[in-house]
């Protein structure tokens, strides 16, 4: 008899585990469904922008001096005589088989271009988010523990500046001050011109490729070029991360268990990092995910200013030459990565946080 | 006068409305940052309205003899590559910025509110379809979407406004839906419905006015983002076209001279930062007064 409670406790634990697994699977299934829906939505939008919004996509290809026969032939070749819904599914099929059309400015398939330019964007955004997290989280914690002091005010103003400073302007000023004025960092571009083409593109990330090749000169040069644009990107994620960390921490520090811990004589460091910070780490994952996605978007402006050969720069160049295939391809890739990171951090939150699981 | 405004039992609708506005106003005035924000925005509006009297020079008048002059008593912010006075251009630029943010708010907020209210009021499949659409737009990167739309529509200030509005409406739909769901089953709504009011009337006359305060807060907070996106489009040459003195486009012109004539690109940037900060401050203050439950989430 006396063993019964133990057994039922074990059973209960087993049930709980089963619930957790089921819950996670339900969350994953929902994730897959919602993500697929959102991707189809993204495709519908790019399709709409490419085929419906322009006054006449055929004229854009053949020019307004084309004869009627040429016009009709081009129209049929582009499949524009078919119903819109058929055109849409053809488009979706094309995208999934990796056919995004040819870029008129580079003369190569858009997919090839994007694959070549993506690592540069990824490298910059990743270093940017590292800077944002490593500085932003401690700053947010500091602001929350010193609420109301000038440290707190300073960090809050910094956070608001992150919402009000145009990224391209900060990039230009950064170049003027740190490159031209002080000479602390290298100028625009990814690498000095005489190092160009030496590296074998293994991953496409110069920092990693140069280490693989053992070319430390190139590593330092690439880092030199990366530092300023990545810091500026990092500033924007820092502002957001610090702001959110501060508000999460304030929320936790207001709880009674924190007061209890302090009354018990737990050292303040431990109260802050173990008692108050530990519970917010899951919320922070979501915030970091969101700001990483936002960085990929923000890099469009920064890349343009720094002539950084990434997807953002490719997109703005395509915009200026009215290269619609390239514009839509880049929009699709940035949009897809953005959505994916968003949804993944959302589902991670659901799986990791016991409160959100219910 | 003030006693009349603060009367606990107002005798007319006008008195009630004015009294409430007065209370919001005094609460705002107690928040120093909100006051700073309000002053910045008032200055922006004054600059836009009285531009011809404030600006010492014409915003498009060229003076090639005085190209790229540094800031001085004659030219407070210096001159650009065509000898135009940058201060005057910044002052006239306030008109364009104000035009863009107002138009985006006027287009995006009503669309979002109606989508959200309809979605929340009817529920069921209407809700699922409309909110699915809203969520899809919400999870898109805004700047990229605006860029792609402008690319298809063609550059220009009107198209920039349309593109930004297309990316801005979903937030308001979310707000309106959340508010509508809390009111949908309230007794005053049931009473109006029993009197034979059509759904359109219930939504337009009784539900939407209740979304007003949270929408105002959200619009004010979104202004900074709208200004930055508009300036970004201008910087890339897709927004307002030269010779219009749009701040983003001015920064783009100054890009070539950033290393030697820093003022050409930096001055319009300060204007953008100041105005965006103003909207952030005012929005934070308004949120604390009108919508305290929303907290620090944004």
């Amino acid at each position: 008899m006396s063993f019964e409670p133990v057994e039922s406790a074990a059973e209960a634990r087993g049930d709980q585990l089963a619930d957790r697994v089921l819950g996670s699977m339900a969350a994953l299934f929902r994730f897959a469904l919602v993500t697929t829906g959102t991707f189809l939505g993204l495709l519908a939008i790019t399709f709409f922008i490419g085929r419906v919004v322009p006054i006449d996509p055929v004229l854009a290809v053949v020019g307004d001096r084309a004869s009627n026969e040429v016009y009709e032939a081009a129209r049929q070749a582009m499949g524009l005589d078919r119903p819109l819904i058929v055109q849409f599914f053809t488009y979706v099929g094309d995208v999934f088989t990796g056919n995004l059309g040819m870029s008129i400015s580079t003369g190569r398939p858009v997919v090839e271009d994007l694959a070549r330019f993506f690592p540069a964007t990824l490298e910059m955004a990743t270093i940017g988010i590292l800077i944002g997290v490593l500085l932003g989280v401690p700053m947010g914690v500091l602001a929350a523990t010193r609420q109301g002091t000038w440290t707190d005010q300073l960090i809050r103003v910094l956070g608001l500046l992150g919402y009000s400073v145009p990224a391209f302007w900060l990039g230009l000023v950064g170049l003027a001050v740190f490159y031209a004025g002080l000479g602390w960092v290298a100028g625009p571009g990814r690498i000095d011109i005489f190092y160009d083409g030496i590296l074998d593109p293994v991953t496409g990330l110069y920092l990693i490729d140069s280490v693989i090749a053992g070319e430390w000169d190139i590593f330092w040069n690439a880092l030199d070029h990366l530092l300023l644009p990545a810091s500026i990107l990092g500033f924007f994620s820092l502002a957001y991360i610090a702001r959110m960390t501060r508000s999460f921490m304030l929320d936790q520090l207001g709880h009674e268990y924190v007061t209890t811990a302090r009354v018990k004589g737990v050292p303040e460091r431990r109260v802050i990092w173990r008692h108050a910070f530990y519970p917010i780490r899951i919320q922070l994952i979501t915030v970091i995910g969101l700001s990483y996605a936002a960085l990929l978007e923000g890099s469009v402006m920064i890349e343009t200013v720094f002539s950084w050969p990434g997807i953002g720069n490719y997109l703005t160049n395509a915009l200026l030459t009215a290269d619609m295939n390239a514009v839509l391809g880049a929009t699709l890739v940035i949009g897809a990565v953005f959505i994916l990171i968003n949804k993944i951090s959302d589902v991670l939150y659901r799986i990791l946080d016991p409160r959100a699981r219910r | 006068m003030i006693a009349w405004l603060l009367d606990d039992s107002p005798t007319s609708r006008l008195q009630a409305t004015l009294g409430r506005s007065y209370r919001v106003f005094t609460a705002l005035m107690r928040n120093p940052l909100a006051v700073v924000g309000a002053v910045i925005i008032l200055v922006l509006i004054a600059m836009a309205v009285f531009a011809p009297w404030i600006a010492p020079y014409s915003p498009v008048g060229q003076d090639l003899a005085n190209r790229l002059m540094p800031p001085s008593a004659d030219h407070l912010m210096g001159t650009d590559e065509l000898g135009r006075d940058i201060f005057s251009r910044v002052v006239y630029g306030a008109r364009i910025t104000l035009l863009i943010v107002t138009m985006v708010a006027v287009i995006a907020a009503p669309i979002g509110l109606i989508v959200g209210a309809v979605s929340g009021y009817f529920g069921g499949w209407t809700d699922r379809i409309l909110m699915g659409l809203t969520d899809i737009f919400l999870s898109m990167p805004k700047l990229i979407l605006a860029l792609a739309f402008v690319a298809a529509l063609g550059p220009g200030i009107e198209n920039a406004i349309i593109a930004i509005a297309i990316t801005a409406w979903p937030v308001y739909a979310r707000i309106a839906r959340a508010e509508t769901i809390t009111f949908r089953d309230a007794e005053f709504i049931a009473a109006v419905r029993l009197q034979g009011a059509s759904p359109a009337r219930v939504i337009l006359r009784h539900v939407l006015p209740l979304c007003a305060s949270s929408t105002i807060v959200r619009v004010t907070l979104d202004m900074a983002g709208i200004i930055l996106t508009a300036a970004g489009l201008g910087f890339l040459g897709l927004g307002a076209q030269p010779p219009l003195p749009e701040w983003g486009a001015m920064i783009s012109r100054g890009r070539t001279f950033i290393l030697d004539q820093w003022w050409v690109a930096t001055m319009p940037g300060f204007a953008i930062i100041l105005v965006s900060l103003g909207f952030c401050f005012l929005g934070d203050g308004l949120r604390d007064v009108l919508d305290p439950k929303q907290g620090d989430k944004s």
Side-chain angles (χ1 to χ4, degrees), chain A:
Chain A
M1 286 299 276
S2 61
F3 287 108
E4 229 177 53
V6 178
E7 261 177 36
S8 62
E11 231 167 65
R13 211 174 299 134
D15 281 356
Q16 225 180 354
L17 196 68
D19 273 359
R20 266 186 82 163
V21 171
L22 271 181
S24 301
M25 275 170 63
L28 281 179
F29 181 70
R30 229 185 84 83
F31 162 77
L33 207 70
V34 171
T35 311
T36 315
T38 316
F39 277 139
L40 277 180
L42 173 66
L43 284 168
I45 293 175
T46 48
F47 171 75
F48 182 78
I49 294 175
R51 303 284 168 87
V52 186
V53 175
I55 322 290
D56 192 337
V58 183
L59 271 191
V61 173
V62 297
D64 48 8
R65 296 220 186 145
S67 64
N68 275 339
E69 295 85 64
V70 175
Y71 181 89
E72 268 313 310
R75 195 173 137 86
Q76 278 174 19
M78 289 167 76
L80 290 170
D81 50 340
R82 285 177 290 168
L84 218 51
I85 189 80
V86 177
Q87 287 185 44
F88 176 62
F89 282 109
T90 320
Y91 173 69
V92 173
D94 276 352
V95 170
F96 277 100
T97 49
N99 175 15
L100 294 173
M102 299 290 282
S103 157
I104 42 173
S105 45
T106 63
R108 280 185 300 259
V110 172
V111 177
E112 268 179 37
D113 279 345
L114 290 174
R116 211 153 48 127
F117 289 120
F118 191 69
T121 301
L122 188 70
E123 190 168 37
M124 185 159 81
T126 308
I127 301 291
I129 194 76
L130 280 177
I131 295 174
V133 172
L134 292 180
L135 294 177
V137 172
M139 277 168 81
V141 172
L142 192 72
T145 51
R146 304 204 177 158
Q147 197 193 357
T149 63
W150 66 268
T151 321
D152 183 28
Q153 297 298 347
L154 197 73
I155 292 172
R156 285 184 72 179
V157 170
L158 215 62
L160 280 178
L161 278 178
Y163 286 91
S164 336
V165 178
F168 53 91
W169 182 83
L170 199 60
L172 283 176
V173 172
L175 270 179
V177 174
F178 295 106
Y179 165 61
L182 299 168
W184 287 359
V185 292
R190 239 184 133 185
I191 203 157
D192 280 354
I193 240 162
F194 45 83
Y195 288 125
D196 227 4
I198 295 180
L199 279 182
D200 270 344
V202 183
T203 57
L205 308 171
Y206 281 5
L207 291 184
I208 295 178
D209 284 353
S210 58
V211 173
I212 292 174
E215 298 271 7
W216 288 98
D217 280 1
I218 300 187
F219 177 84
W220 292 116
N221 187 261
L223 191 65
D224 206 11
H225 279 272
L226 186 59
L227 212 56
L228 186 60
S231 308
I232 288 171
L233 263 187
F235 167 72
F236 289 97
S237 64
L238 174 155
Y240 177 62
I241 291 174
R243 188 179 158 100
M244 297 311 282
T245 310
R246 177 182 178 273
S247 98
F248 293 154
M249 279 299 280
L250 280 181
D251 194 35
Q252 289 295 328
L253 289 171
H255 279 303
E256 285 179 352
Y257 75 89
V258 172
T259 318
T260 311
R262 282 194 180 129
V263 170
K264 274 178 14 189
V266 177
E268 189 62 21
R269 266 180 89 95
R270 200 175 152 77
V271 170
I272 291 169
W273 290 105
R274 181 73 201 172
H275 292 249
F277 184 75
Y278 197 65
I280 68 165
R281 70 199 190 287
I282 295 165
Q283 282 164 295
L284 277 184
I285 290 178
T286 318
V287 167
I288 292 167
L290 286 177
S291 46
Y292 190 46
L295 276 195
L296 285 176
E297 190 191 5
S299 58
V300 172
M301 285 296 176
I302 296 287
E303 283 179 8
T304 311
V305 171
F306 284 88
S307 315
W308 191 263
I311 286 203
N313 204 2
Y314 180 67
L315 173 64
T316 49
N317 282 336
L319 282 171
L320 297 179
T321 48
D323 186 354
M324 270 325 263
N325 280 339
V327 170
L328 293 178
T331 307
L332 212 53
V333 169
I334 300 177
V337 175
F338 188 86
I339 290 169
L340 204 65
I341 296 177
N342 266 322
K343 299 289 175 196
I344 287 178
S345 48
D346 193 44
V347 81
L348 265 183
Y349 180 69
R350 271 171 213 284
I351 291 176
L352 293 177
D353 190 342
R355 282 167 307 177
R357 215 183 288 137
R358 255 178 260 142

